[in-house]
Amino acid sequence: MRGSNNTDLFDPKTEMDSNFSRHSSSSEGDFGFAFNDSNFSDRLLRIEIMGGPSDSRSDGEGCTSIADWARHRKRRREDNKKDNCDIVGCAEEQIITDNNQPDMDDCPGGDNLDDEREAMVEEPLSGEDDASSEPNWGMDHSTVVRVKELHISSPILAAKSPFFYKLFSNGMRESEQRHVTLRINAQEEDVLMAADKFEVASCMRYCSRLLRNMPMTPDSALLYLELPSSVLMAEAVQPLTDAAKQFLASRYKDITKFQEEVMALPLAGIEAILSSDDLQIASEDAVYDFVLKWARGQYSSLEERREILGSRLALYIRFPYMTCRKLKKVLTCSDFEHEVASKQVLEALFFKAEAPHRQRILAAEGSDSMNRRFIERAYKYRPVKVVEFELPRPQCVVYLDLKREECAGLFPSGRVYSQAFHLGGQGFFLSAHCNMDQQSSFHCFGLFLGMQEKGAVSFGVDYEFAAREKEKGFVSKYRGNYTFTGGKAVGYRNLFGCPWTSFIADDSQYFINGILHLRAELTIKRSTDL
């Protein structure tokens, strides 16, 4: 059996790394000093590593270390990817790229191994300590490829493992024999997997701690997330899998920078990235587009793709923060089962209709759970709420909320864009700025309205900016009209008529429970007014 550094732990010359001193006691019951030492042992454990014909190997069989198994898994992923290389992506759904202003439609600017558990029994003996009888392996065409022997202490093993406790206390003849034979498959010849197989939680914790202290790479992180399910589910290894998820989420938090690399990741890696609140992406619409593109590239079968999207990846898309225009597309997307799409869209729309305090409660309730669909990510383009009217003239009222820390981060010359919203078939966006007041030469807060690029069309709009003040509600701050052409913006450099220091101060009247509430009202001008 080998560790992650390929050290042979069954070599009698190899000592288990331990803080235990042979000349002192340990309050935690560390028995590393007795490892493979005949002076502290009452039995001899014979471990037979079984191998079978190459054409009948299961996934990972023949891998003699966790690193070998990782290489095997990587080759399998590459082979699967070759099988799916002819997939043609849907032209309608695409990854959103960062621009200086919002995008027109969406925003401004692995399989686990089967855990084969062969029956592990003590070898029947013809005499008290004679292991001469032929064992019945119960494994067709299997052969013993290696044999390792260890001196063991049955009380120590029984105290550390439910498996060995049962083995040594079953009251049958096997529990009294001095020579014990166990069998493992070649792919299980790794300390972590063997510890899981024989239920030695202390060894699993030890291996997990050693692996966490080693430098992590994308390959090793994926390996820890793709361990056989019984290992992955084990409480002892949970800190290791958590660290692997955090590593991948941090490394790939800006998926637009690593697009090709991220698209090649297996399912476990994608789930780790999408679970992060710190994902740096334009909007949740862009997350949805990315998930679809990845799924179409990985799963050529529509049935299989629907299964993966519905049962796994849909849990990581935060539908409540998608725009209504994109939610409409979800309902007609053939990659999702209709029932799944309908459920997600309805839940998202109900969330959008909730009062702000109810939305905060729902987000708080999900903050400690695996499903964080009600928690807002740090999007590049801030979500907006839009109320639309058709009569007497096309009109929309747009609400944009900014946190105090978001506003503070704009100083001295930053800006933040809202998601796109639409009026009269044209896309618009809001942008908040920290800029210099041209007359007084001090920093101040500005708000602007822009129209997205779409040909050379001219578009006349009456607009009004308002902000909510403590004990007053929304108060109008600026009103005007403007004939837009594609890519143009209009607004007010000093919306509140005060220096930045007064706007951002702790006693500022514009922050209510740490939130700045802005409102923009847009109305299309009548042709007779142009």
Side-chain angles (χ1 to χ4, degrees):
M1 185 177 294
R2 296 172 171 82
S4 57
N5 59 356
N6 288 331
T7 301
D8 192 339
L9 296 186
F10 289 112
D11 187 339
K13 297 179 182 179
T14 302
E15 296 184 2
M16 182 175 289
D17 183 16
S18 171
N19 293 325
F20 185 89
S21 171
R22 296 193 180 201
H23 303 290
S24 63
S25 62
S26 171
S27 60
E28 297 182 357
D30 189 337
F31 298 101
F33 67 90
F35 178 70
N36 202 18
D37 191 324
S38 59
N39 294 321
F40 297 98
S41 304
D42 62 339
R43 300 180 191 239
L44 185 67
L45 175 64
R46 173 187 171 93
I47 298 182
E48 297 182 345
I49 297 95
M50 307 300 296
S54 58
D55 59 351
S56 63
R57 288 182 178 181
S58 61
D59 186 10
E61 188 170 343
C63 303
T64 57
S65 73
I66 205 165
D68 291 339
W69 183 69
R71 287 190 289 270
H72 176 86
R73 295 286 290 163
K74 187 175 182 180
R75 285 195 301 270
R76 182 181 174 187
R77 287 199 302 268
E78 291 172 350
D79 291 341
N80 287 341
K81 210 154 69 171
K82 290 178 182 178
D83 294 338
N84 294 328
C85 65
D86 295 329
I87 300 302
V88 178
C90 176
E92 180 185 13
E93 314 286 359
Q94 296 181 348
I95 291 287
I96 304 303
T97 57
D98 279 349
N99 296 315
N100 291 329
Q101 66 181 40
D103 177 83
M104 188 63 216
D105 285 336
D106 302 304
C107 58
D111 299 13
N112 291 323
L113 286 176
D114 292 332
D115 184 21
E116 297 183 6
R117 293 182 175 269
E118 300 295 338
M120 298 300 163
V121 297
E122 292 186 317
E123 183 178 344
L125 302 178
S126 58
E128 180 179 353
D129 290 324
D130 182 12
S132 59
S133 61
E134 278 297 318
N136 178 13
W137 297 118
M139 302 170 68
D140 293 340
H141 309 294
S142 297
T143 58
V144 178
V145 295
R146 279 180 301 280
V147 175
K148 300 290 184 178
E149 290 187 346
L150 284 173
H151 293 282
I152 61 171
S153 168
S154 55
I156 294 176
L157 277 181
K160 297 291 185 180
S161 162
F163 174 89
F164 284 104
Y165 177 81
K166 294 176 184 177
L167 186 65
F168 296 141
S169 63
N170 60 16
M172 302 180 69
R173 185 183 66 173
E174 291 83 352
S175 63
E176 301 175 357
Q177 294 171 343
R178 300 301 94 189
H179 289 195
V180 180
T181 297
L182 299 179
R183 312 181 192 106
I184 62 174
N185 292 318
Q187 73 267 26
E188 297 169 324
E189 194 187 357
D190 175 89
V191 178
L192 186 59
M193 296 182 186
D196 172 66
K197 188 181 190 76
F198 298 122
E199 304 176 74
V200 190
S202 59
C203 183
M204 295 179 69
R205 286 192 293 269
Y206 178 82
C207 293
S208 176
R209 186 169 64 251
L210 288 182
L211 292 171
R212 290 201 313 275
N213 291 335
M214 294 173 63
M216 198 169 291
T217 66
D219 283 344
S220 64
L222 290 171
L223 169 63
Y224 304 149
L225 294 178
E226 292 185 316
L227 288 171
S229 58
S230 59
V231 174
L232 191 62
M233 300 281 289
E235 181 181 355
V237 188
Q238 194 63 47
L240 177 64
T241 56
D242 289 343
K245 291 177 182 178
Q246 181 58 41
F247 172 84
L248 292 173
S250 177
R251 177 180 174 86
Y252 299 115
K253 64 181 178 180
D254 187 351
I255 59 177
T256 58
K257 290 176 60 177
F258 302 93
Q259 196 167 133
E260 184 175 345
E261 190 174 342
V262 172
M263 290 300 293
L265 292 176
L267 178 60
I270 296 299
E271 289 178 322
I273 295 171
L274 297 180
S275 65
S276 173
D277 297 340
D278 299 322
L279 192 62
Q280 294 180 358
I281 197 161
S283 67
E284 199 64 30
D285 289 4
V287 174
Y288 170 82
D289 289 336
F290 165 77
V291 170
L292 277 188
K293 185 175 181 179
W294 181 87
R296 289 166 178 165
Q298 295 285 334
Y299 301 96
S300 58
S301 166
L302 177 60
E303 182 179 355
E304 187 177 12
R305 191 160 65 246
R306 284 179 170 178
E307 170 62 24
I308 291 296
L309 286 169
S311 64
R312 302 285 291 273
L313 292 179
L315 300 176
Y316 298 95
I317 302 174
R318 303 184 184 184
F319 291 92
Y321 293 97
M322 290 173 58
T323 64
C324 290
R325 287 172 64 90
K326 184 63 74 172
L327 288 174
K328 290 179 181 178
K329 293 183 179 181
V330 175
L331 288 175
T332 58
C333 179
S334 62
D335 297 88
F336 283 88
E337 293 284 357
H338 181 70
E339 293 77 8
V340 173
S342 299
K343 178 180 180 297
Q344 297 294 345
V345 170
L346 281 174
E347 183 180 66
L349 293 176
F350 278 124
F351 178 83
K352 290 177 179 293
E354 291 281 11
H357 76 279
R358 281 291 304 158
Q359 292 179 345
R360 289 192 292 270
I361 291 173
L362 288 172
E365 289 175 349
S367 60
D368 296 327
S369 67
M370 291 288 292
N371 194 340
R372 303 174 68 83
R373 65 192 183 282
F374 294 130
I375 297 177
E376 185 177 343
R377 304 186 204 262
Y379 304 112
K380 180 178 179 180
Y381 301 124
R382 307 303 299 137
V384 292
K385 297 179 182 178
V386 182
V387 180
E388 298 182 54
F389 302 95
E390 290 295 331
L391 297 173
R393 288 189 292 170
Q395 181 185 50
C396 69
V397 182
V398 183
Y399 297 89
L400 171 65
D401 294 345
L402 298 176
K403 299 177 183 177
R404 180 187 291 273
E405 53 267 29
E406 289 179 302
C407 293
L410 298 178
F411 185 85
S413 58
R415 62 184 60 187
V416 60
Y417 292 100
S418 78
Q419 290 180 353
F421 53 92
H422 295 77
L423 177 65
Q426 295 296 319
F428 291 86
F429 62 92
L430 296 173
S431 61
H433 298 227
C434 177
N435 38 231
M436 294 292 292
D437 183 278
Q438 292 179 332
Q439 296 180 346
S440 305
S441 297
F442 54 72
H443 288 90
C444 53
F445 180 89
L447 184 64
F448 295 82
L449 170 67
M451 188 174 85
Q452 295 175 316
E453 190 79 35
K454 192 172 184 180
V457 64
S458 295
F459 210 76
V461 175
D462 292 326
Y463 64 93
E464 179 184 6
F465 294 156
R468 192 179 179 197
E469 298 181 9
K470 293 178 179 177
E471 301 179 0
K472 290 185 179 181
F474 279 101
V475 177
S476 178
K477 295 297 180 182
Y478 188 74
R479 181 179 296 173
N481 57 75
Y482 189 74
T483 300
F484 285 92
T485 56
K488 299 295 184 179
V490 65
Y492 198 55
R493 294 180 65 86
N494 190 353
L495 184 67
F496 300 112
C498 66
W500 182 268
T501 51
S502 300
F503 159 71
I504 204 71
D506 291 340
D507 60 351
S508 172
Q509 61 182 324
Y510 301 113
F511 289 94
I512 302 174
N513 295 325
I515 303 294
L516 173 66
H517 301 274
L518 301 172
R519 184 184 72 190
E521 184 175 320
L522 285 68
T523 306
I524 295 180
K525 298 172 74 171
R526 293 187 297 265
S527 58
T528 56
D529 298 330
L530 296 178

